[in-house]
């Protein structure tokens, strides 16, 4: 990137800058006329002698009033023209600035993607993110002003000065006599502000880095009770920033004071010297008034030029500080990622390592002069102790790191010449802590298949949207690829479309042992029946099949199906009343007792008083049963819907209320008691309050709730119907269409097993897994376990079928039996292809065709596992040491 912000601006917007200066220059004659015309209006029209009229203008005679009005209309036209110039220039500047800001951010992000991986050891995301998002933000405004503002405002300043000197040179010179002093003082003060600005930027970056560390280490803060230390450190850093910002404010306002003081000296000279000249007849009043008006306007461009100087220095500092951070040593050029070969041939033959050497950041050789030849149709294990270099050499082979000396070649071709289009498609690497991106599980699984757009999105609206924005992306130097296009390379996965890709994805998930978990994600996932009507129909078939199975011996009492004409004893009173799934936020089931419509239904059903009485009784029972139990007692979770922290509050309500006079309760107490009955599940709580008579009244209220629902609420509840798919519910609940009975031994497990049987019988397993692909993994895969994340990363690399699969302790975090099973599956899958695996457990190397033993960054020995185990030294010692540990 250009080292100077001005060079960067000229490189990418020279044409726009020249055009802005041409338009600015074109505005100056109109600006001069704008100041000249008021003088003529006063001298030649307003205070002119009537005997001078009529006068001739452009060959037409005008009377006194006509002449005055004509000049005033001319003045109005000049106002419109000058404001039109300003509008056009400002809009064009804004457009140019926003394009350049967009380009700069894009360039910086593109460079981050090419950073050598060791760079991220010394530069955290807390530093990188604000540089791209916040620190370059002011540069957008400066880009539009970089050349046009000094040209436009400087030109205006010269025009006004020329006008003043034409009117009276002495008066004009006196008015601007102190401007040179400003030009001398301001830069010196500004340089001090600039130094403080650099320090402020540095401190803010460190603060961002510290915030990121604290967020990532929140668990350690809790574990070790170090929150006081963290707050103290944060406060100290804020204090450093405060001191710097306070100094900046003081110096900036000194600059502002000087500017304002000198600016006000102009009117002093006009009123004193100009007034003297008018009194003595050396100047007419119209000229003085025009000069005063012009000088008043002189302040605006002068202030703009001073502001420009400050903005220029601030932008220069920000640009230089950012750029220096985005030019790390060893960064690969843009062609490494942008170059797309005509054909990408398979990697075959041999991989040769010649004098391969890599130094760490302290110039210590972690890989030292390694020479080896690896056959790419064999499985190769790399083993070694801590600091042996096995992890580093694996990353070198994957071209994630570059050697300081030596070379790696495949089929005689140096892989340092390979673009990422080759290494990213024909090779793959899996480390111990692979990253999972925010989004769905399927997005992450198929991430390695999205290299380039394959075809347009079938949605024509999205295609039109992209085409409408493509020209602007090109003008801003951004990628013109359509983000919403079809990116998945089905051929790379051995698939011919979405369905076969799903099957291949499921096969790979089985290989790494993640299929059952994804199946469970699918059961808990939801679909839109409008978008996927065939899936909804299949789930409804499973619902019918489950009903038939549930009629079998021992199953009938395990599910209580939803029936519009029956009260469900295993559901809450609230669920029985609503009898449907809520959609959106119009109804909150946790606060259903507060909803005005629900309260109106209770009132119409004459249930309000009964609910309050029942709430009073429930509160009394709960307080009596649980008042003396510790807060963590299991009964609170199993039986009580009043948490321990709220028991004293209900005790207070009981103390100030009388069961026979509940009408005297305050609105707040009444609302709290009214809410309790909604939580009762008769089959679970067995309080004897929900008898058949009360259930019948709830059913009547249910019917009224549905029939009388206002139109604006009707879309907020999806009522249960046995032949309708419930879009707001997950697959499992749609199949179940009811409640699992409380109190039945292992009812949940039995029903879960029964649902699985039904899914298998109806051939829905693949459909459920496909829904599981839509599971949101959370930020950085936070909703997955460590083992699930690692399995997903493994599957992501395998599904793209690389010619060379490189792993470095990729399964070390998994259970030994799981690790062994996954390793066997991968080796079987890659029989005849290349697997290079850096192993933490050396005894696992017996499953590989060839074994390399590393020690101190060098190859200690290599051969087959049997050979090295029998006659080698390093491998037996490594195995013994590992067994002893």
């Amino acid at each position: 990137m250009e080292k100077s912000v001005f060079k960067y601006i000229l490189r990418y917007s020279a044409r726009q800058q020249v055009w802005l200066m041409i338009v600015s220059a074109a505005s100056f004659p109109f600006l001069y006329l704008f100041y000249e015309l008021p003088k003529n209006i006063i001298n030649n029209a307003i205070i002119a002698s009537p005997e001078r009229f009529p006068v001739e203008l452009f060959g037409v005679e005008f009377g006194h009033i006509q002449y005055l009005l004509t000049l005033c209309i001319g003045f109005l036209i000049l106002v419109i023209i000058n404001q039109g110039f300003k509008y056009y220039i400002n809009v064009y500047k804004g457009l140019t600035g926003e394009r350049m800001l967009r380009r700069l951010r894009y360039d910086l992000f593109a460079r981050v993607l090419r950073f050598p991986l060791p760079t991220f050891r010394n530069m955290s995301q807390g530093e990188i993110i604000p540089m791209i998002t916040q620190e370059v933000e002011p540069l957008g405004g400066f880009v539009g002003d970089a050349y046009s503002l000094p040209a436009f405002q400087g030109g205006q300043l010269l025009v006004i000065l020329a006008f003043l000197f034409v009117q009276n040179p002495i008066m004009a010179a006196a008015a601007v006599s102190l401007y040179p002093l400003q030009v001398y003082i301001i830069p010196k003060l500004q340089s001090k502000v600039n130094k403080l600005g650099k320090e402020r930027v540095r401190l803010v970056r460190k603060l961002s880095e510290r915030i990121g560390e604290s967020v990532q280490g929140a668990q350690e803060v809790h574990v070790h009770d170090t929150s006081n230390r963290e707050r103290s450190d944060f406060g100290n850093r804020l204090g450093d920033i405060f001191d710097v910002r306070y100094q900046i404010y003081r110096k900036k306002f000194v600059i502002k004071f000087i500017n304002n003081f000198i600016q006000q000296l102009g009117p002093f000279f006009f009123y004193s010297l100009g007034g003297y000249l008018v009194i003595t007849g050396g100047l007419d009043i119209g000229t003085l008034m025009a000069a005063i008006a012009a000088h008043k306007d002189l302040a605006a461009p002068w202030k703009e030029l001073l502001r420009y100087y400050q903005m220029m220095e601030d932008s220069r500092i920000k640009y230089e500080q950012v750029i220096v951070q985005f030019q790390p040593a060893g960064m690969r050029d843009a062609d490494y990622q942008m170059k797309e070969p005509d054909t990408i041939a398979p990697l075959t033959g041999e991989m040769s390592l010649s004098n391969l050497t890599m130094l760490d950041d302290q110039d210590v050789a972690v890989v030292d002069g390694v020479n080896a030849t690896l056959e790419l149709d064999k499985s190769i294990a790399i083993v070694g102790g801590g600091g042996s270099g096995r992890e580093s050499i694996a990353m070198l082979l994957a071209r994630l790191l570059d050697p300081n000396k030596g070379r790696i070649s495949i089929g005689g071709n140096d892989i340092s010449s390979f673009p990422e289009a080759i290494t990213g498609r024909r090779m793959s690497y899996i480390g111990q802590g692979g990253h999972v991106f925010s989004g769905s599980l399927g997005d992450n699984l198929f991430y390695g298949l999205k290299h380039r757009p394959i075809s347009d999105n079938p949605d024509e609206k999205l295609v039109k949207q992209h085409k409408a924005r493509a020209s602007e992306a090109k003008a801003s130097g951004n990628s013109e690829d359509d983000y919403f296009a079809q990116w998945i390379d089905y051929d790379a996965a051995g698939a011919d479309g979405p369905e076969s890709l799903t099957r291949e994805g499921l096969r790979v998930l089985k290989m790494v042992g993640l299929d059952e978990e994804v199946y469970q994600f699918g059961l808990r996932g939801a679909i839109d029946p409008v978008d996927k009507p065939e899936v909804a129909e299949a789930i409804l078939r499973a619902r019918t099949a489950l009903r038939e199975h549930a009629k079998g011996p021992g199953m009938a009492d395990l599910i209580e199906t939803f029936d519009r004409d029956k009260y469900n004893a295993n559901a809450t009173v609230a669920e029985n009343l609503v009898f449907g799934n809520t959609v959106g936020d119009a109804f909150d089931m946790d606060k259903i007792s507060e909803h005005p419509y629900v309260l109106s239904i209770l009132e119409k059903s004459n249930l309000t008083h009964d609910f309050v009485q029942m709430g009073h009784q429930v509160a009394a029972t709960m307080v009596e049963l649980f008042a003396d139990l510790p807060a963590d007692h299991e009964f609170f979770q199993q039986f009580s819907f009043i948490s321990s922290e709220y028991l004293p509050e209900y005790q207070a309500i009981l103390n100030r209320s009388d069961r026979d006079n509940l009408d005297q309760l305050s609105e707040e107490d009444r609302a709290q008691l009214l809410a309790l009955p909604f939580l009762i599940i008769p089959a679970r709580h067995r309080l004897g309050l929900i008898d058949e008579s009360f259930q019948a009244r709830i059913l009547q209220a249910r019917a009224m709730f549905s029939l009388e629902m206002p139109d604006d609420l009707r879309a907020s509840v999806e009522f249960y119907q046995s032949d309708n798919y419930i879009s707001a519910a997950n697959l499992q609940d749609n199949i179940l269409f009811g409640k699992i009975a409380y109190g039945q031994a292992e009812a949940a497990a039995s029903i879960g097993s029964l649902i699985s049987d039904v899914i298998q019988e109806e051939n829905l397993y693949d459909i459920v897994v496909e829904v599981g692909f839509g599971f949101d993994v959370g930020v950085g895969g936070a909703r997955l376990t460590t083992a699930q994340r690692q399995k997903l990363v493994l599957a992501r690399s395998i599904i793209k079928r690389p010619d060379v699969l490189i792993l470095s302790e990729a399964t070390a975090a998994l259970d030994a039996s799981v690790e062994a099973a996954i390793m066997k599956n991968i080796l079987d899958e890659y029989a005849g292809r290349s697997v290079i695996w850096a192993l933490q457990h050396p005894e696992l190397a017996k499953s590989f065709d060839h074994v390399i033993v590393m020690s101190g960054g060098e190859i200690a020995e290599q051969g087959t596992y049997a050979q090295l185990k029998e006659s080698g030294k390093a491998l037996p010692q490594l195995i013994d040491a590992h067994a002893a540990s």
Side-chain angles (χ1 to χ4, degrees):
M1 292 184 71
E2 301 292 342
K3 293 184 178 180
S4 163
V5 65
F6 286 99
K7 289 182 179 179
Y8 185 83
I9 292 169
L10 278 180
R11 180 177 179 182
Y12 296 112
S13 65
R15 183 185 302 175
Q16 290 80 5
Q17 300 297 337
V18 170
W19 175 245
L20 280 169
M21 287 191 285
I22 290 173
V23 175
S24 298
S27 71
F28 296 152
F30 297 97
L31 181 64
Y32 188 89
L33 291 175
F34 176 75
Y35 291 117
E36 181 68 27
L37 190 56
K39 182 181 76 172
N40 288 326
I41 292 174
I42 295 174
N43 291 338
N44 300 326
I46 295 177
I47 64 174
S49 173
E51 288 77 16
R52 291 186 55 194
F53 296 92
V55 297
E56 186 174 310
L57 184 66
F58 302 123
V60 179
E61 288 191 348
F62 292 90
H64 197 161
I65 301 299
Q66 291 175 318
Y67 185 67
L68 172 64
L69 292 177
T70 299
L71 292 180
C72 290
I73 291 173
F75 177 79
L76 183 60
I77 292 172
L78 286 174
V79 169
I80 294 172
I81 291 173
N82 280 291
Q83 292 304 315
F85 271 112
K86 285 185 178 180
Y87 173 80
Y88 179 83
I89 290 171
N90 286 328
V91 171
Y92 197 82
K93 282 195 306 182
L95 175 63
T96 303
E98 286 303 312
R99 282 177 177 170
M100 288 295 289
L101 177 60
R102 179 176 174 176
R103 178 187 291 273
L104 179 57
R105 282 175 169 158
Y106 181 85
D107 287 347
L108 294 177
F109 180 73
R111 295 175 82 85
V112 170
L113 296 180
R114 305 198 310 271
F115 276 9
L117 293 185
T119 303
F120 297 106
R121 298 173 189 166
N122 302 315
M123 184 185 293
S124 69
Q125 63 179 8
E127 293 179 275
I128 294 173
I129 293 172
M131 279 192 278
I132 296 178
T133 57
Q134 299 171 13
E135 292 184 25
V136 300
E137 179 77 26
L139 295 178
F142 176 70
V143 166
D145 291 335
Y147 293 93
S148 64
L149 189 145
F152 182 64
Q153 299 294 345
Q156 282 194 331
L157 185 70
L158 292 176
V159 168
I160 296 172
L161 285 174
F163 176 79
L164 291 174
F165 275 94
V166 167
Q167 310 312 309
N168 188 289
I170 297 175
M171 182 175 61
V176 299
S177 60
L178 293 181
Y179 278 21
L181 182 63
Q182 276 181 290
V183 174
Y184 175 77
I185 293 177
I186 299 304
K188 293 191 175 294
L189 292 174
Q190 186 63 41
S191 66
K192 295 181 179 180
V193 173
N194 293 342
K195 290 180 181 179
L196 291 170
K198 286 184 178 181
E199 179 64 11
R200 179 185 63 80
V201 170
R202 186 188 69 82
L203 292 173
V204 170
R205 286 181 186 171
K206 292 299 180 183
L207 182 69
S208 299
E209 180 182 358
R210 186 58 183 166
I211 293 172
E213 286 187 349
S214 297
V215 170
Q216 291 178 342
Q219 177 175 306
E220 300 303 316
V221 173
H222 295 309
V223 167
H224 301 292
D225 185 27
T226 55
S227 61
N228 289 326
R229 172 73 176 176
E230 293 297 318
R231 282 191 291 269
S232 175
D233 178 35
F234 192 73
N236 184 61
R237 292 172 186 269
L238 290 177
D240 292 340
I241 295 174
F242 172 84
D243 292 341
V244 171
R245 288 177 66 89
Y246 182 58
Q247 291 183 62
I248 291 174
Y249 281 131
R250 290 177 60 183
K251 287 178 170 53
K252 277 189 174 181
F253 282 111
V254 167
I255 294 173
K256 190 172 183 179
F257 171 81
I258 294 173
N259 286 338
N260 290 337
F261 174 74
I262 292 176
Q263 189 61 41
Q264 295 306 315
L265 288 177
F268 167 76
F269 285 114
F270 279 119
Y271 294 139
S272 57
L273 183 58
Y276 171 77
L277 291 173
V278 169
I279 293 172
T280 59
L283 192 71
D284 59 73
I285 186 66
T287 301
L288 176 61
M289 292 182 66
I292 291 173
H295 182 269
K296 182 179 179 182
D297 288 345
L298 183 68
W302 180 246
K303 283 186 177 181
E304 283 297 308
L305 288 172
L306 292 175
R307 183 184 67 82
Y308 169 79
Y309 176 76
Q310 294 174 328
M311 182 171 62
M312 178 187 70
E313 289 298 301
D314 188 48
S315 298
R316 180 181 62 81
I317 292 169
K318 281 186 169 62
Y319 181 84
E320 291 173 358
Q321 283 189 310
V322 167
I323 294 307
V324 74
Q325 298 295 327
F326 284 79
Q327 300 183 124
M331 184 177 70
R332 296 168 182 172
D333 59 32
D335 283 345
Y336 168 67
Q337 291 184 332
M338 300 301 295
K339 187 176 180 181
E340 182 74 16
D342 294 333
T343 59
I344 302 177
L347 302 180
T348 58
E350 295 178 339
M351 178 183 286
S352 298
L353 286 61
S354 304
N355 194 31
L356 202 61
T357 301
M358 190 184 77
L359 309 178
D360 63 13
D361 54 5
Q362 296 179 332
D363 292 334
V364 176
V366 292
V367 176
D368 192 3
V370 169
N371 294 281
T373 299
L374 312 178
E375 297 180 31
L376 295 185
D377 59 352
K378 298 288 194 300
S379 59
I380 299 163
I382 303 175
V383 297
S388 64
R390 67 173 189 269
E391 300 96 337
S392 298
I393 202 167
M395 297 187 77
L396 285 168
L397 297 179
R399 220 203 154 191
L400 293 174
L401 297 176
D402 292 324
N404 295 89
K405 289 192 298 184
R407 59 176 256 165
I408 304 171
S409 60
I410 297 178
N413 299 310
D414 191 341
I415 69 169
S416 65
S417 66
F418 288 179
E420 202 167 75
I422 294 177
T423 58
R425 301 179 202 182
R426 293 300 185 185
M427 303 172 70
S428 198
Y429 171 88
I430 310 150
Q432 188 172 8
H435 184 75
V436 174
F437 295 92
S438 300
S440 72
L441 188 144
D443 289 339
N444 277 277
L445 177 61
F446 304 129
Y447 180 77
L449 303 174
K450 302 175 182 179
H451 312 296
R452 299 287 188 274
I454 304 299
S455 61
D456 287 339
N457 192 295
D459 189 335
E460 292 184 3
K461 289 184 179 179
L462 292 176
V463 174
K464 289 181 180 179
Q465 176 183 319
H466 169 69
K467 289 180 178 178
R469 301 177 67 179
S471 59
E472 196 59 48
K474 182 178 181 179
S476 303
N478 286 193
S479 170
E480 296 177 56
D481 292 334
D482 183 1
Y483 176 79
F484 297 103
Q486 299 291 347
W487 283 74
I488 294 179
D489 184 355
Y490 294 106
D491 291 339
D496 57 11
E499 292 184 4
S500 57
L501 181 64
T502 298
R503 290 194 295 270
E504 180 62 15
L506 177 57
R507 188 184 72 83
V508 173
L509 291 176
K510 288 179 179 177
M511 190 187 304
V512 299
L514 191 58
D515 58 315
E516 183 58 30
E517 283 128 311
V518 177
Y519 166 75
Q520 293 297 330
F521 293 152
L523 281 179
R524 299 194 295 271
I527 63 158
D528 186 343
V530 176
D531 291 339
K532 296 184 177 181
E534 70 286 352
V535 177
E537 288 295 327
I539 296 301
L540 290 176
R541 290 198 305 270
R543 178 190 294 176
T544 303
L546 181 67
R547 286 183 193 168
E548 295 301 318
H549 281 274
K551 295 177 182 178
M555 291 291 178
D557 296 331
L558 298 184
I559 305 175
E560 187 174 5
T561 305
F562 291 132
D563 187 332
R564 185 167 189 79
D565 299 321
K566 293 182 180 179
Y567 189 95
N568 195 309
N570 288 282
T572 65
V573 171
E575 290 170 330
N576 271 283
L577 176 64
V578 175
F579 199 68
N581 268 51
T582 58
V583 180
D585 54 6
F587 289 98
D588 182 349
M589 292 300 288
D590 292 331
K591 299 179 179 179
I592 195 71
S593 63
E594 300 174 11
H595 198 283
Y597 179 64
V598 173
L599 293 175
S600 70
I601 293 297
L602 293 185
E603 197 66 36
K604 291 179 181 178
S605 304
N606 296 319
L607 284 169
T608 304
H609 181 72
D610 293 338
F611 264 64
V612 174
Q613 277 196 323
M614 189 180 295
H616 187 278
Q617 188 171 345
V618 169
T621 302
M622 293 297 104
V623 168
E624 181 180 354
L625 292 176
F626 300 108
D628 297 327
L629 294 179
D632 59 349
H633 197 281
E634 61 180 345
F635 282 1
F636 276 108
Q637 183 176 357
Q638 293 181 11
F639 302 112
S640 178
F641 31 76
I642 300 176
S643 63
S644 59
E645 59 184 301
Y646 291 116
L647 276 179
E649 189 173 336
Y650 281 99
Q651 178 68 69
I653 293 175
L654 293 174
N655 291 339
R656 58 177 176 261
S657 64
D658 183 355
R659 178 177 175 79
D660 296 329
N661 293 292
L662 294 178
D663 292 339
Q664 305 300 318
L665 285 170
S666 66
E667 286 297 323
E668 184 179 352
D669 290 351
R670 177 185 172 87
Q672 286 189 269
L673 293 181
L674 182 68
L676 289 179
F678 283 99
L679 305 174
I680 296 176
I681 303 173
R684 177 181 178 182
H685 298 124
R686 304 184 184 281
L687 298 174
L689 299 175
I690 312 296
D691 55 22
E692 291 186 4
S693 173
F694 187 81
Q695 291 179 14
R697 295 174 68 191
I698 292 295
L699 291 177
Q700 291 175 354
R702 174 194 293 178
M704 189 182 299
F705 180 85
S706 173
L707 292 173
E708 298 186 8
M709 181 171 286
D711 291 339
D712 61 330
L713 291 178
R714 191 157 294 279
S716 300
V717 179
E718 198 171 4
F719 295 106
Y720 295 140
Q721 296 184 46
S722 60
D723 55 352
N724 281 3
Y725 185 90
I726 311 165
S727 60
N730 61 42
L731 298 191
Q732 182 168 271
D733 287 346
N734 265 287
I735 295 172
L736 184 61
F737 195 68
K739 291 286 185 178
I740 297 176
Y742 285 101
Q744 300 292 331
E746 299 183 354
S750 299
I751 295 302
S753 177
L754 188 58
I755 290 176
S756 296
D757 291 342
V758 168
I759 286 173
Q760 292 291 350
E761 290 174 9
E762 297 293 326
N763 296 317
L764 296 178
Y765 188 84
D766 289 0
I767 291 178
V768 175
V769 170
E770 185 177 359
V771 175
F773 285 167
F775 176 75
D776 186 352
V777 299
V779 178
R783 297 184 67 196
L784 301 176
T785 66
T786 302
Q788 288 170 344
R789 285 196 296 271
Q790 197 61 22
K791 290 176 181 178
L792 180 55
V793 171
L794 282 163
R796 180 167 66 200
S797 283
I798 294 170
I799 199 170
K800 70 178 185 178
R801 303 190 306 169
D803 299 322
V804 181
L805 181 64
I806 302 169
L807 305 96
S808 180
E809 302 182 14
T811 55
L814 305 176
D815 293 340
S817 59
V818 175
E819 181 181 22
I822 292 176
M823 181 175 290
K824 180 182 182 305
N825 291 338
I826 291 176
L827 292 176
D828 290 345
E829 174 75 10
Y830 273 77
R833 286 186 286 169
S834 178
V835 175
I836 302 172
W837 203 318
L839 297 168
Q840 183 179 22
H841 306 296
E843 64 275 6
L844 294 175
K846 62 185 176 183
S847 301
F848 290 77
D849 299 325
H850 190 76
V851 180
I852 296 175
V853 183
M854 298 288 297
S855 178
E858 300 176 346
I859 295 179
E861 59 188 24
Q862 58 179 314
T864 67
Y865 183 83
Q867 291 172 343
L868 298 180
K869 187 73 183 298
E870 182 178 346
S871 58
K873 293 182 180 180
L875 181 61
Q877 290 175 357
L878 190 63
I879 293 174
D880 292 341
H882 189 267
S885 62

